[in-house]
Amino acid sequence: MALAALALTAACGNDGRWEGVRLGLAELGSLVAQEGPQADMRDILTPQAIAQVDGPVIFAEIPEREAQATMFVAAENGGVRNWQTQDRIALNMVDGVLTGTRGLGGDLMSSDLAQAFEALRGGRGRAVRVHRYLDGEDHLNSSAFVCDFRRESGVAASTAFRSFRALHVVEDCINPDRDFENHYWFDNGGTLRKSVQWVGPEVGYLKIELLKDE
């Protein structure tokens, strides 16, 4: 908790979003691997603190690293939102669906998700997604996955601050080398409120909760 207390008192620059962090939003600093036991950020975050932040806020967690962070929109271009932590680790997402990462090590450099987006909208039951990663020699390698989608409506779901009835979509993906399973919870308005999404073999899964829309 000492780390959290330090974050609460740290100066965060003149940007209103970072001022919101200074005024009450605990930022544990990073989604990279941490040493030693970490405080659970859910014990620190409050709706009142989030309300002080100017703009959307997400809570992100990498379970395999026991790492958590709040993230803010740093830029938006062509529907792609670039979310960043205080130390500039970044996630690129379209409507809450992960398309790339930076600063995590083993980053998802880019992806082709056109069919996956169509499947998430209910337009198809199977899709092919392509992930691209850098190898040890900085060569970009592509991995294609065949993914099947299952949908269940009226599922009870919750984030840090709210409970809701959700459309739960499960995406089962496989190729000859590995498999993974993504989960998406959409509210009645079609907003992706919560998800568990695969980043890559070096990072594992990323859990994301939308804490504040705008």
Side-chain angles (χ1 to χ4, degrees), residues 25-36:
L25 181 57
E27 166 61 82
L28 298 191
S30 184
L31 286 173
V32 298
Q34 303 290 314
E35 293 185 3

Side-chain angles (χ1 to χ4, degrees), residues 14-89:
N14 295 322
D15 189 303
R17 290 168 299 180
W18 306 118
E19 283 296 311
V21 179
R22 184 182 66 80
L23 291 171
L25 181 57
E27 166 61 82
L28 298 191
S30 184
L31 286 173
V32 298
Q34 303 290 314
E35 293 185 3
Q38 303 298 311
D40 190 342
M41 201 168 181
R42 291 181 182 85
D43 296 334
I44 303 165
L45 292 172
T46 66
Q48 294 77 16
I50 293 294
Q52 297 180 62
V53 182
D54 180 20
V57 183
I58 62 173
F59 171 76
E61 179 179 15
I62 299 177
E64 290 189 11
R65 297 180 176 180
E66 297 184 353
Q68 301 173 333
T70 48
M71 305 188 75
F72 309 86
V73 177
E76 187 166 1
N77 184 19
V80 179
R81 275 185 169 178
N82 177 260
W83 299 83
Q84 292 189 8
T85 63
Q86 189 176 350
D87 59 351
R88 301 300 187 261
I89 290 172

Side-chain angles (χ1 to χ4, degrees), residues 31 60-62 91 98 195-199 204-208:
L31 286 173
E61 179 179 15
I62 299 177
L91 308 177
L98 187 69
S195 65
V196 179
Q197 302 184 55
W198 174 257
V199 178
Y205 286 98
L206 180 67
K207 294 183 176 181
I208 304 168

Side-chain angles (χ1 to χ4, degrees), residues 102-120:
R102 294 295 185 273
L104 293 177
D107 283 302
L108 175 62
M109 301 305 295
S110 65
S111 56
D112 291 337
L113 303 180
Q115 291 187 11
F117 281 118
E118 186 179 349
L120 285 170

Side-chain angles (χ1 to χ4, degrees), residues 148-171:
D148 290 313
F149 289 77
R150 295 180 280 114
R151 309 165 70 84
E152 183 180 1
S153 59
V155 174
S158 63
T159 61
F161 302 147
R162 63 182 292 176
S163 298
F164 60 101
R165 288 289 173 178
L167 170 64
H168 180 204
V169 181
V170 181
E171 180 187 13

